[in-house]
Amino acid sequence: FLLQMKRIVKNKLFLTLLIVFPLCLYFLSVSFRSQEDSRIQIGFAITVEDPLTEALCEKLLTLDDSLFSFRQFDTEEALIKEVQNNGIECGYLFRKPLKEELDKSHLKNLIRVYVSENTTCKGIVNELIYATMFEEYSLQLLKDSLKEAGHLPFTAEDAAEFSLPPVSDELIEELYRTHLTDGSTFRFDVEFTDSDSMVGEGTSVASLALLRGLAGLFLLLCGFMALLTTHGDTKNGLYVKIHGLKRYFLPYITMLSYLLPAAVVCLIGLSICGLLGSLVTEVVALLCYLVTLMLFYMVLGSLIRNHTMLCATFPMILFCTIIFTPVIVDLSAFFPWLKVVRYVLPTSYYMLFF
């Protein structure tokens, strides 16, 4: 093992990878955290005077906890130009008085939508706008129903007659907003019980999965480099004079001499990025992943003995790992029958730990 480590010290390419990878991981995590607003950009423009439309757009501009960020444009032309330039994913043009149309039960073609060619979020944004619109429209219906019933305006003189406080439009809206968000109808209570597994401040869950997936891909690459070294040693007759069990264990020692430093580098990279959870879990996950990689590459090396064929196989393995495991894009989440492919990819087992 020590002799193999001495040989690795002379491998400039591998040493470069060991130094560069944690730095790249760190800069990626910093870029994720430093983005002031990484939300999907959506635009809208208003060409009509309508209280419901104005209330809706004001609400959209203040959605701080949404996946989307809304921007207002002065004209329809400016909105269309920004969509064409891919500055925003979708553009919404409010050209009809929403309250008047909804009161008449006119529900179609109220809002014109301009969509970027590559967008995939139009349906989600539509639902968000519908939900916000009917939240504001419900307030308008509440006020109208109270006025029709003669309860508004409830002036100070009327209130004094019944020994009640006066009621205004502002008070009705305040009560409506309060009961809409105070949890009196329903609420979600979220509790985190394991503080050690929390994501670093400013890093989203998606970013964490991506960075951890990149660590898995890095170890996959190092394992393949170890396989090529083992294959070259066998071809050059390095193990011919060695007999007994040592001959069978030497390829594993060679692979371990590559994978162990790479695993330590991954731990360091995750640590400096603030993404290291429980140390015991991380170490166990990495050790299991290393064993899985060694078995995977040993089986692959026994099936494919041609050096050129081995080199041609790795891009396919890398591509399948990216699209069939939860590293970047997991197609098996959309097509369940593709999950069978994940069972032959070692990186998928590493990702299952988290």
Side-chain angles (χ1 to χ4, degrees):
F1 180 77
L2 293 177
L3 291 175
Q4 293 289 351
M5 293 298 294
K6 288 181 180 179
R7 186 167 66 164
I8 284 178
V9 172
K10 298 179 181 180
N11 190 333
K12 295 181 180 180
L13 174 61
F14 186 67
L15 290 178
T16 303
L17 287 175
L18 293 181
I19 296 172
V20 170
F21 177 73
L23 295 177
C24 292
L25 211 62
Y26 174 73
F27 286 122
L28 276 175
S29 67
V30 169
S31 67
F32 289 144
R33 296 176 185 179
S34 62
Q35 290 176 0
E36 295 181 0
D37 193 354
S38 59
R39 297 179 295 171
I40 300 172
Q41 298 295 310
I42 309 296
F44 64 84
I46 305 173
T47 59
V48 65
E49 292 186 4
D50 175 62
L52 177 58
T53 304
E54 293 175 0
L56 167 62
C57 293
E58 288 178 7
K59 185 67 180 291
L60 292 175
L61 290 172
T62 58
L63 290 177
D64 295 330
D65 57 348
S66 171
L67 176 66
F68 306 99
S69 177
F70 288 85
R71 295 161 51 192
Q72 184 171 357
F73 293 85
D74 296 329
T75 63
E76 180 181 2
E77 291 75 17
L79 180 70
I80 295 174
K81 184 177 180 180
E82 193 69 10
V83 172
Q84 292 174 339
N85 294 334
N86 294 322
I88 55 177
E89 292 286 321
C90 306
Y92 291 81
L93 178 65
F94 297 94
R95 55 194 178 89
K96 293 183 179 181
L98 292 180
K99 187 176 185 307
E100 180 181 336
E101 296 293 326
L102 290 173
D103 288 342
K104 296 178 181 179
S105 298
H106 295 169
L107 305 179
K108 294 184 178 181
N109 301 321
L110 295 180
I111 305 171
R112 180 174 291 174
V113 185
Y114 298 98
V115 183
S116 176
E117 292 182 357
N118 300 321
T119 188
T120 57
C121 59
K122 173 190 171 185
I124 302 176
V125 183
N126 287 348
E127 293 297 328
L128 175 61
I129 290 181
Y130 292 153
T132 308
M133 179 175 67
F134 282 103
E135 179 183 323
E136 297 301 320
Y137 185 51
S138 297
L139 176 60
Q140 301 294 329
L141 292 178
L142 175 61
K143 291 180 179 180
D144 291 346
S145 62
L146 289 174
K147 289 177 181 178
E148 290 177 4
H151 300 308
L152 280 179
F154 194 66
T155 62
E157 291 78 9
D158 298 330
E161 182 178 350
F162 296 96
S163 300
L164 294 172
V167 179
S168 62
D169 283 4
E170 291 77 13
L171 179 59
I172 293 296
E173 182 171 354
E174 180 183 347
L175 293 174
Y176 175 81
R177 303 288 184 197
T178 299
H179 291 293
L180 194 67
T181 58
D182 69 346
S184 59
T185 51
F186 64 87
R187 67 182 182 184
F188 295 95
D189 290 328
V190 181
E191 295 182 5
F192 295 97
T193 57
D194 186 5
S195 59
D196 291 335
S197 62
M198 293 293 290
V199 182
E201 183 180 357
T203 306
S204 67
V205 176
S207 302
L208 173 64
L210 175 60
L211 294 173
R212 195 178 296 282
L214 291 177
L217 293 179
F218 174 70
L219 289 172
L220 187 72
L221 172 62
C222 293
F224 182 72
M225 294 177 66
L227 174 63
L228 292 181
T229 301
T230 304
H231 185 269
D233 291 344
T234 304
K235 189 176 180 180
N236 294 330
L238 187 63
Y239 306 136
V240 172
K241 296 183 180 180
I242 301 174
H243 303 282
L245 291 176
K246 289 184 179 180
R247 182 173 181 177
Y248 296 99
F249 281 110
L250 276 177
Y252 290 97
I253 293 176
T254 302
M255 296 197 73
L256 202 60
S257 65
Y258 276 83
L259 290 173
L260 271 182
V264 172
V265 165
C266 286
L267 277 177
I268 295 173
L270 293 173
S271 178
I272 63 177
C273 294
L275 306 178
L276 197 64
S278 171
L279 183 60
V280 175
T281 303
E282 297 284 353
V283 171
V284 170
L286 283 173
L287 288 177
C288 292
Y289 185 39
L290 297 189
V291 173
T292 307
L293 281 175
M294 286 192 292
L295 294 174
F296 174 78
Y297 279 126
M298 281 304 179
V299 172
L300 182 66
S302 63
L303 294 176
I304 304 175
R305 299 183 180 276
N306 184 276
H307 189 84
T308 304
M309 288 296 295
L310 274 177
C311 293
T313 303
F314 181 72
M316 185 172 62
I317 296 173
L318 183 63
F319 177 74
C320 291
T321 301
I322 291 174
I323 65 173
F324 292 125
T325 61
V327 175
I328 298 177
V329 178
D330 185 8
L331 290 183
S332 62
F334 304 99
F335 306 100
W337 56 273
L338 288 175
K339 287 185 178 180
V340 66
V341 181
R342 296 170 57 177
Y343 298 132
V344 297
L345 300 172
T347 309
S348 62
Y349 297 98
Y350 172 63
M351 299 300 290
L352 286 176
F353 273 90
F354 307 98

